[in-house]
């Protein structure tokens, strides 16, 4: 096998674990195979810039990355290169510039670290330009198909769990109902896992409808046991009881989830008489030190992604299945959105603990 020159980029929303994955790729590629590694800055935007925005990665440059949040390569979750918004307001297909950028760097293969949106775009570019792409799954939402774990999810769950641990004590001290709104886009994985781990009394996820009267009944049941406080965790994409999405538009007109916690606080206060407070956890879930498990997934994924390139197995994504790293077709992973299955073992666990989860 000849010496290779590989690129790596991080794309989409950042999360904890991206720097450990860069570190693992560099260690495997240089330490085992003696290849060259180029870090591409700001994902596809770096590849469409001239000169291409990149930096050489050596073992020294990744020596402090295991515990570092964010991504030293930068990232973006804006600007689909097939419809890239230009300064004059027009949308331009810039995919050929990205393909040319890959060739300008003299790459033999590219590792793309991303969620479903980014990986779909990267694959489309790779197919168009016949580029050698290997993917690594990352997203706090944990909603990519074919993998039980994506980098970033475990850290986000840890942070949301710690928030619940803290909210429980202040809820009890003031006899309040505390509502924690967490991220996850259209999937309720963070809310479900953190809700169980953090001892929430009510967990609301987009996949399961709920009734406000039943939430208030749960709060009343607790009060009848002398527990005059409750903790509710709600995923950001949960709708109002009558099915309305709550979103906020930013200055560019893009819509983001946010606000369901406040809605619930008002409704719960009205139906139960309880004093309510809302905490929106937001991007705290994506920042900071990666958890040990995220470091572990990142390291295992990074090593195996480089090995896929060594075996010239392209258009594949590394995945975690049954405590093993395997590889699956990228198309398979992005084609199967993985929301919470109402028959999931964690849903049964939550119900078994008497947590109200809707029905
Ligand atoms: O997909 C990851 C995620 O953090 C979602 O959970 C959340 O809805 C969204 O990204 C927030 O995106 P932004 O960083 O653009 O506000």
């Amino acid at each position: 096998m000849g010496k290779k020159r590989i690129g790596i980029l991080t794309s989409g929303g950042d999360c904890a674990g991206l720097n450990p994955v860069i570190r693992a790729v560099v260690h495997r590629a240089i330490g085992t195979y003696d290849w060259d590694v180029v870090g591409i800055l700001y994902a596809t935007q770096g590849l469409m810039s001239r000169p291409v925005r990149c930096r050489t990665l050596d073992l020294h440059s990744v020596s402090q990355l295991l515990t570092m949040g964010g991504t030293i390569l930068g990232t973006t979750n804006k600007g689909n290169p097939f419809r890239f918004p230009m300064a004059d307001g027009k949308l331009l297909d810039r995919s050929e510039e990205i393909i040319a950028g890959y060739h300008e760097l003299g790459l033999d293969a590219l590792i793309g670290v991303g969620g479903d949106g980014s990986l779909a775009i990267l694959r489309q570019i790779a197919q168009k330009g016949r580029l050698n792409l290997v993917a690594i799954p990352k997203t706090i939402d944990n909603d990519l198909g074919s993998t039980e774990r994506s980098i970033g999810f475990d850290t986000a769950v840890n942070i949301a769990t710690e928030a619940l641990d803290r909210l429980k004590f202040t809820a009890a001290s003031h006899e309040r109902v505390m509502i924690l709104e967490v991220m996850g886009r259209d999937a309720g994985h963070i809310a479900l896992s953190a809700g169980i781990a953090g001892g929430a009394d009510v967990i609301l996820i987009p996949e399961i409808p709920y009734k406000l009267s039943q939430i208030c009944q749960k709060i009343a049941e607790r009060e009848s046991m002398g527990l005059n406080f409750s903790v509710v965790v709600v995923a950001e994409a949960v709708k109002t009881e009558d099915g309305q999405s709550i979103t906020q538009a930013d200055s560019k007109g893009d819509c983001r989830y946010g606000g369901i916690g406040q809605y619930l606080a008002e409704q719960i206060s009205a139906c139960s008489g309880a004093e309510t407070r809302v905490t929106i956890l937001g991007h705290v879930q994506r920042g900071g030190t990666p958890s040990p498990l995220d470091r572990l997934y990142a390291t295992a994924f990074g090593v195996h992604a480089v090995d896929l390139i060594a075996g010239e197995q392209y258009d594949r994504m590394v995945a975690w299945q049954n405590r093993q790293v395997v590889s699956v077709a990228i198309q398979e992973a992005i084609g199967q959105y993985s929301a919470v299955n109402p028959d999931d073992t964690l849903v049964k666990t939550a119900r078994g603990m008497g947590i109200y989860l809707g029905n």
Side-chain angles (χ1 to χ4, degrees):
M1 180 186 19
K3 187 172 171 104
K4 288 190 192 296
R5 182 172 165 80
I6 67 168
I8 176 168
L9 59 79
T10 50
S11 184
D14 76 331
C15 64
L18 294 177
N19 279 326
V21 94
I22 296 166
R23 170 181 177 269
V25 164
V26 170
H27 271 273
R28 187 62 160 172
I30 296 177
T32 305
Y33 298 110
D34 191 29
W35 294 346
D36 292 330
V37 187
V38 183
I40 293 149
L41 305 182
Y42 299 99
T44 48
Q45 293 191 18
L47 279 172
M48 67 172 78
S49 300
R50 294 296 176 272
V52 171
R53 295 181 73 192
C54 63
R55 57 183 280 193
T56 301
L57 295 173
D58 55 17
L59 291 174
H60 184 263
S61 63
V62 299
S63 73
Q64 302 291 332
L65 295 193
L66 188 59
T67 54
M68 195 189 283
T71 162
I72 57 161
L73 299 179
T75 187
T76 177
N77 60 359
K78 302 251 161 352
N80 180 342
F82 289 94
R83 286 176 286 111
F84 194 82
M86 304 301 286
D88 62 4
K90 291 201 177 113
L91 297 176
L92 201 66
D93 179 354
R94 300 190 65 184
S95 53
E96 287 295 350
E97 293 167 67
I98 294 168
I99 294 165
Y102 172 101
H103 292 302
E104 255 178 54
L105 290 178
L107 299 181
D108 296 299
L110 175 66
I111 295 178
V113 189
D116 56 350
S118 302
L119 294 185
I121 290 169
L122 285 172
R123 179 168 193 267
Q124 206 181 336
I125 295 166
Q127 294 286 301
K128 184 174 177 183
R130 305 173 82 86
L131 312 183
N132 296 328
L133 176 68
V134 165
I136 297 180
K138 72 85 221 172
T139 165
I140 64 165
D141 307 338
N142 209 37
D143 56 1
L144 259 162
S146 309
T147 184
E148 288 155 20
R149 281 285 181 264
S150 291
I151 296 167
F153 173 67
D154 185 67
T155 307
V157 170
N158 285 358
I159 293 166
T161 302
E162 189 192 334
L164 288 169
D165 293 345
R166 290 170 187 270
L167 288 172
K168 267 212 138 146
F169 286 104
T170 175
S173 305
H174 283 270
E175 299 194 318
R176 285 173 171 162
V177 174
M178 302 301 263
I179 296 152
L180 178 70
E181 181 179 313
V182 298
M183 282 185 167
R185 228 182 275 269
D186 298 307
H189 296 292
I190 298 176
L192 180 58
S193 291
I196 295 170
D201 306 298
V202 174
I203 301 174
L204 301 179
I205 59 175
E207 296 87 343
I208 302 179
Y210 66 91
K211 290 245 179 303
L212 285 163
S213 58
Q214 291 170 347
I215 297 174
C216 291
Q217 198 181 322
K218 174 75 192 171
I219 291 166
E221 271 168 26
R222 285 176 53 77
E223 282 171 0
S224 69
M225 292 186 287
L227 298 165
N228 295 330
F229 66 97
S230 293
V231 176
V232 176
V233 57
V234 59
E236 61 182 355
V238 166
K239 295 183 174 157
T240 61
E241 192 180 35
D242 59 356
Q244 306 295 313
S245 283
I246 303 189
T247 54
Q248 318 288 331
D250 67 15
S251 57
K252 291 188 176 143
D254 289 335
C255 271
R256 294 212 184 87
Y257 288 121
I260 185 65
Q262 187 57 37
Y263 163 83
L264 287 171
E266 286 159 19
Q267 300 299 317
I268 290 172
S269 179
C271 78
S272 71
E275 193 179 354
T276 54
R277 292 288 186 275
V278 187
T279 303
I280 301 177
L281 208 46
H283 292 78
V284 172
Q285 292 157 98
R286 297 213 317 231
T289 309
S291 69
L293 264 184
D294 269 333
R295 296 180 209 178
L296 192 145
Y297 296 131
T299 306
F301 284 163
V303 165
H304 283 78
V306 174
D307 288 349
L308 283 178
I309 296 174
E312 311 216 319
Q313 291 183 56
Y314 300 120
D315 201 21
R316 311 285 298 169
M317 185 188 86
V318 290
W320 190 264
Q321 292 179 359
N322 300 321
R323 301 180 66 219
Q324 304 280 339
V325 183
V326 297
S327 85
V328 298
I330 298 176
Q331 187 53 33
E332 179 190 316
I334 57 182
Q336 295 175 14
Y337 183 72
S338 165
V340 174
N341 180 339
D343 295 325
D344 190 286
T345 189
L346 291 185
V347 172
K348 288 184 187 152
T349 303
R351 291 201 200 284
M353 290 300 292
I355 298 170
Y356 178 71
L357 202 76
N359 37 39

